[in-house]
């Protein structure tokens, strides 16, 4: 007779001393873990609920400006530094970790229209309503010294926007035309015009560094190559675009914020129709900025909210608002992709988390593991009705809630009418125009 | 296919490895022999282990799928394959092996007595064979806790005892001064339920009565669903009731209208309750439906006992017609039928699929009843009184038998799962670990609404709702947004867009859809032809191989 009976040595399964951690032998046999799907579903449901519980995105409000914040600039080398310019010509430099202003200077008379930090991080440029471009040193002046710009250029017209080249001493301004400047010269090295009288924004492409995009007041977005003497092409839309931002990871794509409450992501090569139309705002969109990962972007709107969109998502994944925040004029996504800064009309700069429920600070390995696991679960079960309902739920201010509803009703009515017209006319005479095609008037090469 | 790919990969890896050392070696020592890795590439994994962790068939990418969907499918496929392989690799490293019992030549294993086994094995295992002589309050019902450490005995005449049976420590012993119909551990060893003469009572491990639940009367049998925290009870008034023990609420009360319910078991795979009835039927119940999900006629005469195996594949029933039947519970088909001369009053299945059947005062254990026709038992043991309760101990090679004269703990080698999962049911857990487990288990308590015949239903695509929503959308939009667009030939220059040319191009595309179908049918046909030919050739070979009487004259 040969016999073997299960006989475990408890020493293999129990910790030796109280100072050890407990032993947890695993066996991943699926038959020992019944109800796999339903248990995971329950976990996902719990994780989704907890995410909503922990969603506290607002971190700090930086006050100190004496007028609305009109523009902001990220420091190119330091994560904790933010520059902001207000409507009274004042520029402030902030330390974000301490939530305090480290430097104030009166840069312009009238609005500070644009601001950009040089790629080396040693100096920054501002343009203002007083028709000047000024270059400032990043370091604060010594005690008792007067704040004087390194360099001042007096232009012929008002400048409305400014951007710096990624790695050369060249910058671009816009106003009545788009000018390319060499830092060493006091007159532009190149000027682009295409039959329009004013531009609101100009941006260098961060990947293809010689390319520029600009938004013009004749509802067009114009693209340039710095090496050529003429603009490349432009697309005319039904409404004016306020700003545009290039995707930092995909050279072809840019997103523009439009007056018609939408944002449009375009592929530079095919301007006939936008790649995605991002809807959700209920008023004009004023600013947009990409996250450094290029997967998401944040938009600021006149409807007093900040929204975060996925780059290919038609609707926002997140909306931030507070009772006190007024029209949001400018917004920036921090270079470590964790924070969002928004500057608004009522003189404050607000600091938000990019992921509302994320835990800040250093995570223990097990903590991170658990967070990753629950993230994956949420992704896996995101389409289940109960989970989706909880995950999508956001509190909105009453007026925005009603406005959204109103807009939806209007849109439905329009589409119903179009459908009825199509139904009662000769087949083929009224073509189906998709939402993407609706907003583009024409493309001019 | 998968194996081929692996092979290629390992070959590639081999080549890389070959090249690298060559270079370095040449530099250091000329003419020295190059040592090759004798086992290049990742270690092979046995196919059956990989199969063990297979959750589903590979997803086929739809032909005209969107590139994003295609990408998603490919990624998730890769991830699941990797997980499967890793789990299979880990499986090799598991420390314990299952027990076994082999007789000598022409010695039946069923003739080996428990005493012999207990003498033959080590002392700790030998001590697991013991008898408790409790002749006063018997017969006894038996239940082991989920970790297998604790034993609960309930005597017909009111004696209830819980024992840490491995250390033989008595945790509590009470007499409820009432007849006891059934006893059951709840989610942990801190609480148990006792079905008494009139009401259902819940006690803690010190024997203190926590609750007397007056909504549950005349309970005869109980089952506890550990992942749902549900206590299912079957009563003499033909009610099947569910009690949520985490919140103390009655979840469902179903009147089965089938008379006294004293045969009950649960399907551990999908938490469906099986009830056996005096008219020979077995019915399947979930708390979400007032009617039985399934009614099966299993026996001529009443059903005496039902049990379902761990994987939810097989159901074993025994009836008054002295038959023992095995069913495939997924297809609801009978597989095997055995005749037991005395009939089996109690049945129990172990984690590794051993079946124990009690006939009178003899406990028989059968092995592999569903695959091969079994002629004699694997083990047999005679106890002192008529058997009333039978339960395999989880994670141990032990069968607990409650009978008229007390309790017998039998050694059944090969019954228990050798390797437990520490996060699910850990027999060696400390109090702290138990507390932590309890919190986690309560957090992921499955809602009773999710009980259904197929527990993976939640992970499948809800095609019906999608179609409905798509129809609504089509109606709202006035056109089908997912419909394929009509092919419009590109305009070509230099006179290549003549009317005839355009028509030709259209024609080329027109049959694209049909081509796919045609190709498939042709392939199927070829395959069938090939198979037929092979069969014919085999037949021919068979025929030719039979030598006729005249073949000897052939050269």
């Amino acid at each position: 007779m040969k016999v073997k009976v299960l006989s475990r040595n408890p020493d293999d399964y129990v910790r030796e001393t109280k100072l050890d951690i407990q032993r947890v032998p695993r066996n991943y046999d699926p038959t020992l873990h019944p109800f796999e799907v339903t248990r995971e579903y329950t976990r996902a449901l719990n994780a989704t609920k907890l995410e909503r519980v922990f969603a506290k995105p607002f971190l700090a409000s930086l006050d100190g400006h004496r007028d609305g914040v009109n523009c902001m600039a990220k420091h190119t080398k330091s994560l904790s530094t933010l520059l902001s310019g207000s409507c009274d010509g004042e520029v402030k430099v902030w330390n974000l970790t301490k939530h305090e202003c480290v430097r104030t200077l009166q840069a312009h008379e009238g609005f500070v229209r644009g601001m950009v930090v040089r790629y080396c991080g040693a100096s920054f440029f501002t343009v203002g309503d007083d028709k000047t471009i000024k270059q400032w040193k990043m370091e604060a002046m010594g005690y008792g010294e007067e704040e004087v710009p390194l360099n001042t250029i007096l232009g012929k017209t008002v400048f409305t926007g400014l951007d710096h080249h990624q790695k050369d001493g060249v910058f671009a301004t816009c106003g009545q035309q788009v000018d390319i400047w060499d830092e060493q010269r006091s007159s532009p090295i190149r000027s682009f015009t295409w039959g329009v009288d004013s531009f609101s924004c100009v941006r260098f492409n961060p990947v293809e560094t010689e390319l520029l995009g600009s938004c013009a007041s004749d509802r067009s977005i114009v693209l340039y190559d710095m090496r050529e003497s003429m603009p490349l092409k432009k697309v005319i839309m039904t409404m004016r675009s306020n700003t545009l931002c290039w995707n930092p990871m995909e050279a072809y794509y840019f997103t523009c914020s439009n007056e018609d409450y939408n944002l449009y992501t375009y592929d530079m090569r095919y301007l006939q129709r936008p790649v995605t139309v991002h809807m959700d705002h209920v008023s004009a969109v004023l600013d947009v900025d990409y996250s450094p990962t290029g997967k998401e972007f944040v938009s600021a709107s006149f409807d007093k909210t900040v929204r975060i969109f996925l780059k290919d998502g038609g609707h926002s994944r997140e909306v931030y608002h507070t009772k006190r925040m007024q029209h949001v004029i400018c917004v920036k996504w921090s270079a470590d992709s964790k924070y969002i800064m928004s500057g608004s009309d009522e003189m404050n700069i607000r600091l938000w988390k990019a992921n509302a429920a994320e835990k800040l600070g250093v995570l223990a390995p097990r903590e991170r593991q658990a967070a990753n696991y629950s993230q994956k679960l949420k992704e896996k079960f995101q389409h289940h009705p109960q989970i989706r309902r909880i995950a999508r739920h956001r509190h909105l201010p009453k007026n925005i809630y009603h406005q959204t509803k109103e807009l939806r009703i209007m849109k439905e009515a329009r589409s119903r009418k179009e459908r009825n017209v199509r139904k009662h006319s000769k087949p083929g005479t009224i073509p189906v125009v998709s939402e993407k095609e609706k907003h583009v008037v024409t493309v001019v090469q | 296919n998968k194996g081929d790919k692996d092979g290629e990969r390992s070959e590639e890896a081999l080549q890389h490895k070959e090249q690298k050392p060559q270079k370095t070696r040449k530099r250091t020592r000329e003419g020295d022999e190059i040592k090759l890795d004798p086992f290049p590439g990742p270690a092979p994994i046995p196919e059956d282990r990989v199969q063990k962790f297979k959750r589903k068939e590979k997803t086929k990418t739809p032909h005209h799928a969107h590139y994003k969907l295609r990408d998603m499918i490919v990624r998730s496929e890769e991830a699941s394959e990797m997980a499967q392989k890793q789990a299979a690799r880990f499986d090799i490293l598991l420390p314990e092996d299952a027990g076994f019992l082999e007789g000598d030549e022409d010695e039946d294993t069923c003739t080996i007595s428990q005493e012999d086994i207990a003498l033959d094995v080590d002392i700790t295992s030998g001590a697991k064979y013991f008898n408790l002589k409790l002749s006063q309050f018997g017969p006894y019902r038996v239940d082991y806790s989920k970790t297998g450490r604790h034993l609960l005995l309930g005597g017909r005449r009111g004696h209830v005892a819980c024992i840490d049976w491995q250390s033989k420590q008595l945790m509590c012993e009470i007499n409820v001064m009432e007849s006891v119909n059934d006893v059951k551990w709840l989610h942990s060893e801190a609480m148990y339920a006792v079905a008494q003469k009139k009401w259902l009572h819940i006690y803690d491990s010190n024997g203190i009565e926590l609750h007397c639940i007056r909504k549950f009367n005349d309970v005869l049998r109980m089952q506890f669903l550990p992942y749902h925290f549900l206590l299912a009870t079957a009563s003499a008034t033909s009610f099947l009731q569910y009690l949520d023990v985490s919140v103390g609420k009655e979840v469902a009360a179903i009147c089965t209208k089938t008379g006294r319910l004293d045969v009950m078991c649960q399907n551990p795979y999908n938490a469906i309750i099986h009830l056996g009835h005096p008219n020979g039927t077995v019915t399947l119940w979930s708390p979400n439906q007032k009617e039985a999900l399934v009614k099966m006629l299993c026996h001529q005469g009443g059903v005496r006992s039902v049990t379902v195996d761990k994987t939810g594949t097989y159901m074993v029933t025994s009836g008054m017609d002295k038959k023992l039947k095995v069913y495939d519970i997924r297809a609801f088909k009978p597989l095997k039928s055995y005749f037991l001369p005395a009939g089996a009053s109690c049945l129990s299945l172990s984690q590794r699929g051993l079946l124990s059947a009690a006939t009178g005062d003899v406990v028989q254990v059968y092995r592999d009843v569903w695959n091969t026709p079994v002629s004699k038992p694997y083990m047999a043991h005679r106890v002192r009184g008529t058997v009333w309760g039978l339960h395999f101990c989880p994670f141990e090679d032990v069968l607990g038998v409650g009978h008229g004269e007390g309790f017998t703990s039998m050694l059944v080698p090969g019954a228990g799962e050798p390797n437990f999962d520490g996060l699910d049911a850990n027999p060696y857990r400390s109090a702290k670990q138990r507390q932590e487990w309890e919190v986690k288990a309560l957090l992921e308590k499955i809602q009773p609404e999710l009980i259904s015949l197929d527990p993976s239903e939640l992970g499948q695509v809800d095609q019906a709702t999608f179609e409905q929503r798509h129809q609504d959308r089509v109606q709202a939009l006035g056109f089908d947004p997912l419909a394929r667009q009509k092919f419009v030939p590109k305009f070509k220059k230099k006179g290549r867009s003549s009317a005839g040319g355009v028509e030709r191009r259209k024609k080329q595309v027109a049959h694209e859809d049909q081509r796919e179908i045609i190709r498939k049918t042709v392939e199927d046909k070829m395959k069938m032809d090939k198979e037929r030919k092979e069969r014919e050739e085999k037949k021919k070979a068979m025929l030719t191989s039979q030598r006729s009487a005249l073949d000897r004259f052939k050269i």
Side-chain angles (χ1 to χ4, degrees):
Chain A
M1 176 181 74
K2 276 205 297 193
V3 63
K4 178 186 177 288
V5 177
L6 271 183
S7 150
R8 301 190 185 90
N9 185 359
D11 291 349
D12 298 340
Y13 296 96
V14 181
R15 61 179 173 177
E16 282 172 20
T17 67
K18 277 199 165 176
L19 301 175
D20 295 345
I21 51 166
Q22 300 278 6
R23 283 193 183 149
V24 183
R26 299 302 310 271
N27 185 357
Y28 298 105
D29 188 352
T31 54
L32 284 182
H33 300 273
F35 308 106
E36 215 167 34
V37 179
T38 35
R39 282 165 79 192
E40 274 191 350
Y41 171 78
T42 315
R43 275 181 212 154
L45 188 62
N46 288 341
T48 317
K49 284 177 184 171
L50 284 180
E51 185 200 63
R52 287 292 87 215
V53 168
F54 290 127
K56 302 258 187 284
F58 181 69
L59 287 176
S61 160
L62 312 175
D63 55 340
H65 273 300
R66 281 169 290 185
D67 208 336
V69 181
N70 198 43
C71 57
M72 289 195 295
K74 288 183 273 188
H75 197 288
T76 42
K77 298 285 176 195
S78 152
L79 270 179
S80 61
T81 310
L82 176 77
L83 294 88
S84 65
S86 74
C87 297
D88 59 354
E90 200 178 52
V91 168
K92 274 180 183 287
V93 183
W94 303 89
N95 185 335
L96 290 176
T97 45
K98 290 181 181 164
H99 303 167
E100 65 181 20
C101 175
V102 291
R103 186 180 168 200
T104 311
L105 48 123
Q106 188 64 36
H108 295 278
E109 289 164 26
F111 283 46
V112 182
R113 286 291 178 185
M115 207 157 50
V116 68
V117 180
R118 198 168 184 271
Y119 59 90
C120 62
S123 64
F124 63 94
F125 296 84
T126 57
V127 293
D129 268 359
D130 54 0
K131 301 182 189 173
T132 52
I133 307 168
K134 291 182 181 173
Q135 186 181 10
W136 307 82
K137 257 173 105 166
M138 191 54 87
E139 289 131 48
M141 293 288 162
Y143 181 74
E145 278 178 74
E146 205 183 334
E147 295 274 10
V148 277
L150 285 178
N151 195 6
T152 309
I153 302 167
L154 191 62
K156 290 191 188 85
T157 54
V158 173
F159 298 109
T160 53
L162 168 76
D163 198 18
H164 201 282
H165 192 272
Q166 289 290 312
K167 43 191 180 230
D168 288 338
V170 175
F171 64 93
T173 60
C174 64
Q176 290 193 355
Q177 74 268 12
V178 171
D179 292 328
I180 311 289
W181 303 77
D182 194 318
E183 283 177 2
Q184 311 298 331
R185 302 190 188 188
S186 59
S187 57
I189 52 173
R190 193 156 291 149
S191 291
F192 296 108
T193 46
W194 196 346
V196 284
D197 55 352
S198 83
F199 291 89
S200 61
C201 165
V202 64
R203 287 284 176 91
F204 272 101
N205 188 327
V207 184
E208 288 296 325
T209 48
E210 311 299 308
L211 290 179
L212 294 124
S214 73
C215 301
S217 63
D218 70 338
R219 302 169 296 152
S220 65
I221 296 166
V222 192
L223 302 179
Y224 313 90
D225 190 332
M226 216 173 71
R227 295 159 293 196
E228 286 180 29
S229 59
M230 297 296 283
L232 288 177
K233 52 183 169 182
K234 70 173 172 183
V235 55
I236 300 175
M237 301 174 69
T238 49
M239 294 269 261
R240 186 165 71 97
S241 297
N242 285 317
T243 45
L244 69 83
C245 186
W246 293 92
N247 188 325
M249 284 316 209
E250 289 168 292
Y252 297 126
Y253 293 100
F254 65 86
T255 302
C256 60
S257 59
N258 204 288
E259 284 282 323
D260 64 359
Y261 312 172
N262 295 340
L263 293 112
Y264 301 94
T265 300
Y266 278 100
D267 188 329
M268 198 179 86
R269 299 163 294 181
Y270 315 106
L271 292 174
Q272 287 81 7
R273 53 188 270 157
V275 179
T276 322
V277 182
H278 311 276
M279 300 189 259
D280 261 354
H281 279 297
V282 292
S283 192
V285 190
L286 299 181
D287 199 8
V288 58
D289 192 32
Y290 262 98
S291 98
T293 58
K295 290 191 168 170
E296 288 169 328
F297 61 83
V298 61
S299 67
S301 162
F302 199 72
D303 62 10
K304 305 175 188 176
T305 60
V306 172
R307 280 183 189 267
I308 301 172
F309 291 86
L310 293 178
K311 74 158 201 271
D312 47 7
H315 289 275
S316 64
R317 78 157 168 85
E318 193 68 79
V319 54
Y320 294 161
H321 56 84
T322 70
K323 269 185 185 163
R324 295 183 182 187
M325 189 162 71
Q326 295 301 310
H327 314 301
V328 194
I329 302 198
C330 50
V331 70
K332 286 277 178 247
W333 199 305
S334 77
D336 61 350
S337 145
K338 279 193 165 179
Y339 304 97
I340 286 165
M341 284 82 73
S342 70
S344 46
D345 244 2
E346 82 319 324
M347 307 181 246
N348 278 323
I349 296 167
R350 286 190 169 76
L351 189 62
W352 309 86
K353 283 193 266 183
N355 283 318
E358 194 186 27
K359 193 185 169 201
L360 294 180
V362 183
L363 291 183
R366 280 175 69 190
E367 225 172 348
R368 192 180 311 117
Q369 223 171 33
N372 288 345
Y373 178 60
S374 60
Q375 181 57 38
K376 196 76 204 171
L377 282 180
K378 276 182 266 175
E379 247 168 59
K380 185 174 173 184
F381 290 95
Q382 61 185 340
H383 298 299
H384 282 256
Q386 204 185 354
I387 287 177
R388 192 175 52 195
R389 184 182 66 79
I390 296 168
R392 283 185 53 203
H393 179 84
R394 295 287 181 283
H395 172 254
L396 279 179
K398 204 174 181 183
N399 61 334
I400 294 178
Y401 181 76
H402 287 300
Q403 245 169 312
T404 317
K405 216 151 98 181
E406 199 180 311
L407 283 175
R408 190 171 60 235
I409 291 167
M410 282 159 66
K411 199 176 159 194
E412 264 167 26
R414 242 178 273 136
S415 72
R416 191 169 54 239
K417 174 159 188 180
E418 198 190 305
R419 195 166 65 241
N420 287 343
V421 169
R422 189 176 302 124
K423 210 193 286 175
H424 293 288
S425 44
K426 194 180 160 195
T429 50
I430 297 173
V432 177
V433 183
S434 72
E435 186 65 39
K436 288 176 186 173
E437 287 158 343
K438 242 178 234 174
H439 304 280
V440 177
V441 176
T442 178
V443 178
V444 188
Q445 296 284 346
Chain B
N1 197 10
K2 214 189 295 168
D4 286 356
K5 263 187 192 168
D6 277 0
E8 281 169 23
R9 222 176 283 155
S10 61
E11 272 176 23
E12 280 173 19
L14 177 69
Q15 282 166 6
H16 284 297
K17 273 182 186 164
E18 266 181 77
Q19 284 165 3
K20 258 197 176 170
Q22 265 182 347
K23 278 181 189 169
T24 49
R25 287 274 166 133
K26 265 181 191 168
R27 246 179 265 146
T28 50
R29 253 193 250 168
E30 284 286 326
D32 207 9
E33 211 172 280
I34 302 153
K35 268 188 186 171
L36 277 179
D37 183 1
F39 306 107
I45 318 165
E47 194 56 39
D48 58 323
R49 298 230 190 220
V50 177
Q51 277 299 316
K52 187 174 154 189
F53 292 97
K54 194 172 174 184
R55 285 343 195 258
K56 57 172 184 59
E57 291 301 316
K58 266 195 163 180
T59 319
K60 257 191 188 167
T61 326
H63 192 67
H64 299 292
H66 193 261
Y67 73 98
K68 281 182 186 168
L69 174 67
R70 195 184 289 264
D71 190 49
M72 235 149 57
I73 290 175
V74 167
R75 268 164 201 274
S76 77
E77 247 356 90
E78 270 172 10
S80 65
E81 198 172 296
M82 192 194 68
Q84 193 183 340
K85 274 187 186 160
Q86 275 187 343
R89 264 186 211 292
F90 184 82
D91 204 50
I92 299 169
L93 302 175
L94 290 177
E96 305 280 347
D97 293 321
F100 59 84
L101 174 65
E102 281 169 17
D104 298 332
E105 276 169 49
D106 53 75
E107 182 192 24
D108 269 345
T109 49
C110 64
T111 59
I112 299 171
S113 73
Q114 284 292 313
E115 283 82 9
D116 289 347
I117 294 174
L119 279 177
D120 224 48
V121 295
D122 57 311
I123 299 170
T124 36
S125 304
K128 285 172 188 167
Y129 165 65
F130 61 91
N131 282 300
L132 298 177
K133 200 176 169 198
L134 308 160
S135 52
Q136 225 177 333
F137 301 107
Y140 280 88
R141 289 258 196 243
V142 185
D143 190 37
Y144 284 103
S145 68
K146 208 185 149 205
T147 56
R149 280 300 287 248
H150 301 272
L151 170 68
L152 184 62
L153 295 174
R156 183 96 189 97
R157 298 188 198 112
H159 177 217
V160 176
C162 40
I163 308 160
D164 184 351
W165 68 272
Q166 287 186 13
S167 59
K168 312 247 171 26
Q169 252 176 0
L170 188 65
M171 291 161 72
C172 81
E173 190 173 24
I174 50 171
N175 198 319
V176 296
M177 309 301 280
E178 234 179 1
S179 64
V180 168
N181 290 322
D182 201 2
V183 286
K184 209 85 204 166
W185 285 109
L186 298 187
H187 58 280
S188 72
E189 56 271 14
M191 276 196 284
Y192 56 88
V194 180
Q196 295 181 17
K197 190 181 174 195
K198 192 68 185 163
W199 313 119
L200 174 70
H201 293 252
I202 290 177
Y203 297 88
D204 79 348
S205 57
N206 296 324
I208 298 162
E209 184 181 316
L210 299 175
H211 303 287
C212 167
I213 302 165
R214 299 247 162 85
K215 264 193 172 172
F216 290 67
N217 59 316
D218 304 306
V219 176
L220 294 180
R221 284 306 195 120
M222 294 188 289
Q223 285 293 331
F224 184 69
L225 310 174
Y227 296 99
H228 303 77
F229 285 82
L230 288 181
L231 183 71
T233 62
S235 71
T237 54
S238 89
F239 266 89
L240 173 66
Q241 284 168 297
Y242 287 84
L243 176 74
D244 189 329
V245 297
S246 64
V247 290
K249 235 174 42 181
E250 189 189 40
V251 169
I254 305 163
C255 181
T256 59
K257 296 171 195 161
T258 43
R260 196 179 155 82
L261 301 173
D262 57 352
V263 179
M264 182 189 202
C265 82
Q266 65 164 307
N267 185 341
Y269 169 71
N270 55 12
I272 297 283
I273 295 290
H274 294 225
L275 295 175
H277 303 290
N279 61 358
T281 55
V282 170
T283 48
L284 274 58
W285 299 85
S286 88
N288 306 315
Q289 207 170 314
K290 291 284 173 207
E291 280 85 43
L293 300 174
V294 177
K295 275 184 194 168
M296 300 172 71
L297 180 62
C298 295
H299 289 278
Q300 294 165 330
V303 179
R304 294 181 75 185
S305 185
V306 185
T307 181
V308 180
D309 88 314
K310 187 174 68 161
T311 60
T313 318
Y314 305 106
M315 177 175 79
V316 185
T317 61
S318 71
M320 300 294 254
D321 56 357
K322 296 179 180 176
K323 281 208 171 132
L324 183 81
K325 287 188 176 176
V326 184
Y327 289 86
D328 183 342
I329 200 64
R330 293 178 305 184
F332 304 112
K333 272 183 187 157
L335 290 177
K336 295 268 166 358
S337 174
Y338 303 101
F339 180 74
L340 294 181
S345 61
C346 295
L347 293 174
S348 174
L349 273 166
S350 85
Q351 282 176 323
R352 280 169 50 78
L354 296 191
L355 174 74
S356 67
T359 54
D361 60 347
V362 178
V363 178
Q364 293 176 333
V365 181
Y366 294 91
R367 203 163 47 175
D368 219 13
V369 277
W370 34 75
N371 286 336
T372 46
V374 177
S375 53
K376 57 189 166 195
Y378 169 58
M379 286 178 75
H381 183 62
R382 185 182 290 275
V383 292
R384 294 202 188 99
T386 322
V387 176
W388 211 49
L390 207 57
H391 207 289
F392 274 104
C393 178
F395 308 114
E396 290 289 344
D397 284 343
V398 165
L399 171 64
V401 186
H403 48 79
E405 297 293 305
F407 170 79
T408 304
S409 170
M410 253 176 83
L411 286 176
V412 182
E417 173 67 41
N419 295 295
F420 56 84
D421 189 278
L423 291 186
D424 196 51
N426 186 353
Y428 296 95
R429 68 190 175 190
S430 63
K432 204 84 201 153
Q433 276 178 306
R434 197 199 71 218
Q435 285 166 5
E436 204 163 297
W437 166 85
E438 201 167 350
V439 170
K440 289 237 170 78
L442 279 168
L443 271 178
E444 56 196 54
K445 181 184 87 168
I446 306 169
Q447 292 304 317
E449 294 85 62
L450 299 178
I451 296 178
S452 66
L453 276 175
D454 181 9
S456 64
E457 206 177 0
L458 204 60
Q460 284 155 8
V461 178
D462 188 0
Q463 204 84 28
T465 316
F466 171 75
E467 267 158 25
Q468 182 60 41
R469 272 173 54 195
H470 181 65
Q471 266 179 15
D472 290 349
R473 200 167 153 214
V474 169
Q475 214 156 38
L477 286 172
F479 63 95
D480 187 356
L482 297 184
R484 274 231 264 147
Q485 274 174 357
K486 212 177 151 191
F487 174 69
V488 181
K490 219 185 206 171
F491 182 76
K492 288 186 175 173
K493 283 177 186 164
K494 295 182 186 169
R496 282 186 293 163
S497 253
S498 64
V502 167
E503 281 308 309
R504 227 172 294 131
R505 267 189 282 157
K506 272 189 190 170
K507 231 174 207 176
Q508 279 173 355
V509 180
H511 297 298
E512 201 99 292
D513 288 346
Q514 288 169 12
R515 264 181 213 167
E516 187 77 5
I517 301 162
I518 292 166
R519 199 190 303 137
K520 215 170 181 187
T521 46
V522 167
E523 269 174 18
D524 282 352
K525 215 174 172 186
M526 296 264 277
K527 210 171 162 189
M528 269 164 55
D529 274 354
K530 207 177 162 191
E531 272 173 18
R532 207 187 56 218
K533 257 182 201 167
E534 270 176 15
R535 242 178 308 166
E536 273 172 11
E537 266 173 30
K538 233 184 212 172
K539 222 176 186 179
K540 226 181 234 172
M542 277 258 287
L543 284 175
T544 49
S545 67
Q546 284 173 350
R547 287 173 65 85
S548 74
L550 295 175
D551 274 349
R552 62 192 143 144
F553 300 114
K554 282 183 185 168
I555 303 156

